[in-house]
Amino acid sequence: ASTRFLSLLCVLVLCSLYRCDLVCKDGICDNDSDIPEQTELFFGKTFHYDSSLQKLQRDAHKDKDIYGAFLYPHPLPDCELVDLNEEILAQFFAEEIYSDSARDTLRSYICGQDTPPGSQPFAHRYGGLQFAKWAELGDGRALSWGNIRPNSYSSLSLTSPVWEFQVKGSGITPYSRDGDGRAVLRSSIREYLGSWAMFGLGVPTSLVGGIVRGATPTIRRDPFYDGNFITEHAAITLRLSPSWLRFGSFQILK
């Protein structure tokens, strides 16, 4: 409860201090559009935006990307499901999500082939110190869909009344800088296992709901930063957290 209270307080402070307007960059965002109507449910659930950066951006920042940018993901070619964390997803959705058709639908959402009904994909803008130098950062390869309430019986509701769903590795955003907007399977599996281990130990953490990958290795990476590049599978991770706010969310506004 205290975690969610701090997140709500942070959003309220941001809203009260900064009243500017939001700019679409190179036509890839749609910050001045109307809020999409939610005519369908996301596996029986509704996205909530009462305490979200999406709401702040739409309410007060039509001509400048103060908090971030709305944009669609870049679909991952030849995308296939690696794994769904059914124990975590069961905290939010009914059993019907485990049918073959539902799993394929969720795969298409994570892969970026379709947009979840009622979602407002959003790349958050923030700043901070990187390599001892100040930099404007932001979600260079992640998009937040929106907040979803856990089922009433879920222990996750004791941590936060809503959890923010985000996909990591979903493609280039206005904050990608020189990056390609992708994650690789190696590091995505590491995050999956690490977050699940911490959750099992009772350590507050973000969670991973699933991973998809490109069927063919296409992403060049230097895993040991020694000049030896390898070609790896691209991957997208479905991540959950009470909030993705950070210190840099405030630092960028100074």
Side-chain angles (χ1 to χ4, degrees), residues 184-197:
V184 295
L185 185 60
R186 166 179 48 85
S187 56
S188 299
I189 291 175
R190 183 173 63 232
E191 179 179 355
Y192 191 168
L193 297 177
S195 66
W196 194 231

Side-chain angles (χ1 to χ4, degrees), residues 77-96:
D78 300 320
C79 186
E80 58 188 20
L81 182 65
V82 175
D83 189 58
L84 292 179
N85 189 334
E86 295 186 354
E87 188 167 344
I88 289 298
L89 295 176
Q91 308 302 307
F92 294 88
F93 306 109
E95 293 182 3
E96 64 183 20

Side-chain angles (χ1 to χ4, degrees), residues 33-127:
S33 66
D34 294 330
I35 298 175
E37 283 189 35
Q38 182 151 354
T39 57
E40 299 179 60
L41 296 178
F42 178 57
F43 295 109
K45 287 297 185 76
T46 302
F47 284 101
H48 299 273
Y49 298 99
D50 291 345
S51 59
S52 68
L53 291 173
Q54 284 101 319
K55 177 175 172 56
L56 290 181
Q57 189 65 68
R58 288 191 184 279
D59 283 356
H61 308 290
K62 300 279 184 167
D63 299 323
K64 195 173 183 181
D65 58 334
I66 296 299
Y67 301 117
F70 295 94
L71 66 155
Y72 292 108
H74 295 262
L76 184 61
D78 300 320
C79 186
E80 58 188 20
L81 182 65
V82 175
D83 189 58
L84 292 179
N85 189 334
E86 295 186 354
E87 188 167 344
I88 289 298
L89 295 176
Q91 308 302 307
F92 294 88
F93 306 109
E95 293 182 3
E96 64 183 20
I97 199 172
Y98 306 124
S99 68
D100 290 342
S101 62
R103 288 171 67 91
D104 188 61
T105 299
L106 183 55
R107 178 202 60 79
S108 72
Y109 292 152
I110 302 174
C111 292
Q113 298 166 349
D114 296 296
T115 304
S119 66
Q120 298 180 26
F122 185 80
H124 177 32
R125 174 178 175 262
Y126 54 86

Side-chain angles (χ1 to χ4, degrees), residues 134-204:
W134 168 259
E136 178 177 332
L137 305 172
D139 290 333
R141 55 179 179 173
L143 291 175
S144 290
W145 287 346
N147 301 323
I148 292 182
R149 291 174 180 155
N151 294 326
S152 58
Y153 55 78
S154 171
S155 61
L156 295 181
S157 62
L158 300 176
T159 302
S160 173
V162 294
W163 285 65
E164 188 172 351
F165 278 54
Q166 181 190 82
V167 280
K168 178 182 177 181
S170 53
I172 291 175
T173 78
Y175 317 111
S176 296
R177 296 181 291 170
D178 296 327
D180 57 18
R182 296 299 187 195
V184 295
L185 185 60
R186 166 179 48 85
S187 56
S188 299
I189 291 175
R190 183 173 63 232
E191 179 179 355
Y192 191 168
L193 297 177
S195 66
W196 194 231
M198 289 198 293
F199 178 72
L201 292 170
V203 179

